[in-house]
Structure formats: structure tokens, C-alpha cells
Amino acid sequence: MTTAARPTFDPAKGGKERGDLSVLSKQYSSRDLPSHTKLKYRSEGQGAPEELTARDFRRELEEKESRSRKRTRQETNLDADDPVDSDREDDEENDSEDDEAELLAELARIKKERSEEMAKKEEVKKQETEKIRTENILTGNPLLQKPEQTSGSTDFKVKRRWDDDVIFKNCAKEEEDKKNKGFVNDTLRSEFHKKFLSKYIK
């Protein structure tokens, strides 16, 4: 049954006249429950204030720095104890110079071979293009060919265009000169009247 005809005054009153509305429902949302009722404290090993007050940060930093300095000194002085052998160094320099000379000679040889190959390719390409050009010159004009050279096509008709047999060719309406058109206030001399006379009266 619809409530449209009922007056809205009675349901809107509320309070003790309608009964206590808070007693009607015992349901409540889980979001209304109390949450985060306890504070979290740092446990051991998480940097609690008691731990930090007991530590000496300056001493720890100095120890770390001294350890890193010792490590870098050891890495740089690895070869300091080895005896210096000048002959071995000279041999290594000579070997490196010989290797470099061999590499340069090999590089020059490779460059020369490549340039020769490129020249050969260019020559072959030039000959092919010349051959094609001469063939085009000889076979380009059908009037200069002998009958036995032409392969049965002795008619010299002009080839038809692909759109010669199209139905709607050249059907575009000619654009009228809109520049010459102007507004004429006289109805007898207007463009519409002239077209009308030429169409129906002639």
C-alpha cells in the first residue's frame, strides 16, 4: 500500500511518542568499533631510545673509517712487494709495438680488398645499365624495328586508357563563377530570374 496519501507529520515526530528509536536496532558497523587502542613501542633491535643512548656513535664511525682505509691501502700495495723487472717491461713494449704494426698492415690489406670489390661491383653495374639503355634505345621505337623482331604486334594503335569506358566520365558540374555573382535588388535582373526565363520561356 502506498504511503503517498499519508501525512508525514507522524513518522517525522520520533522520540517517545513513536517509541525510543535507538532501541529499535541493535546492529552497528564494524567501523564503529573502537580500534588502535594500544600504542606500539619499539622492541629490541629496532633502535629503541635505551639502545641508542648506550651506543658511542663517534667511536663506531672512526673504527669503520680506519677499517676502510686499511682495506684500500692493501688493495693499492698488492704489487709493491714484487721486484721490478725492466727487461720484461721492454719485451712487453716491443711485443705490443709488433702486434700493433701487424694489425695496421692487416687493416690496410682489408681496406684495399674492399675497395677493389667495390670497384668491380661498380663496373658490373655500369655495364648492366649501359646494356639496358642500348636495348631500350633499339626496341623503344616500333617503327625502327624489323618485322621479325616484333613479336606479332604490328598494329601501332594507341593504347586505350583504363577509364575510357567508364559510365560517369566528365560528369562533374561546371563550377559557376561566384566572383561575378553579386546581389541585385531588382527581381527582373537577378540571376534566378534570368535562368528561369532561359529555361521556360525560350
Side-chain angles (χ1 to χ4, degrees):
M1 183 175 166
T2 181
T3 59
R6 295 183 183 185
T8 58
F9 179 68
D10 289 334
K13 268 199 276 187
K16 291 182 180 176
E17 295 181 16
R18 296 269 305 162
D20 193 4
L21 296 177
S22 63
V23 180
L24 295 178
S25 175
K26 293 287 184 184
Q27 292 180 348
Y28 48 85
S29 173
S30 63
R31 293 178 184 175
D32 293 336
L33 293 175
S35 59
H36 301 292
T37 54
K38 292 182 181 178
L39 287 175
K40 293 182 180 179
Y41 296 102
R42 292 188 179 183
S43 59
E44 292 182 8
Q46 291 183 336
E50 297 84 20
E51 294 176 5
L52 297 178
T53 53
R55 286 171 58 184
D56 187 8
F57 290 107
R58 170 169 266 168
R59 187 176 51 79
E60 289 179 10
L61 180 64
E62 288 173 355
E63 285 177 2
K64 285 181 182 177
E65 287 178 350
S66 63
R67 268 186 262 137
S68 66
R69 281 194 206 112
K70 285 179 185 176
R71 193 179 305 123
T72 52
R73 281 186 197 143
Q74 288 175 356
E75 289 173 357
T76 54
N77 294 332
L78 283 176
D79 297 332
D81 298 335
D82 296 339
V84 177
D85 192 1
S86 60
D87 296 336
R88 187 184 301 168
E89 289 178 1
D90 292 339
D91 291 341
E92 287 177 358
E93 288 178 4
N94 292 335
D95 290 342
S96 65
E97 288 175 1
D98 293 340
D99 292 341
E100 191 174 341
E102 288 177 5
L103 288 173
L104 289 173
E106 184 74 20
L107 182 64
R109 187 176 60 79
I110 290 171
K111 283 184 179 178
K112 187 178 178 184
E113 288 177 358
R114 284 188 181 168
S115 62
E116 288 175 358
E117 287 179 5
M118 290 290 290
K120 285 181 183 177
K121 285 182 181 177
E122 286 290 328
E123 187 66 29
V124 170
K125 194 174 182 181
K126 217 181 262 186
Q127 288 177 359
E128 288 178 357
T129 54
E130 187 65 28
K131 187 177 179 183
I132 291 169
R133 194 176 75 81
T134 53
E135 285 180 1
N136 288 340
I137 290 171
L138 293 174
T139 61
N141 192 350
L143 298 173
L144 297 177
Q145 292 180 6
K146 296 176 183 176
E148 58 269 6
Q149 287 180 347
T150 58
S151 58
S153 60
T154 54
D155 54 339
F156 301 115
K157 291 181 181 177
V158 179
K159 290 183 179 178
R160 292 179 62 199
R161 283 179 49 85
W162 65 272
D163 61 346
D164 279 345
D165 55 351
V166 177
I167 300 170
F168 299 108
K169 188 178 179 186
N170 295 330
C171 290
K173 185 180 178 183
E174 293 181 2
E175 294 184 5
E176 300 169 357
D177 293 336
K178 293 184 179 178
K179 295 178 183 176
N180 297 336
K181 279 188 177 181
F183 177 71
V184 179
N185 203 8
D186 188 6
T187 55
L188 297 176
R189 288 187 290 132
S190 66
E191 290 291 325
F192 173 76
H193 188 67
K194 288 177 184 176
K195 283 184 184 177
F196 180 79
L197 290 176
S198 63
K199 190 172 184 182
Y200 292 109
I201 294 179
K202 276 188 179 177

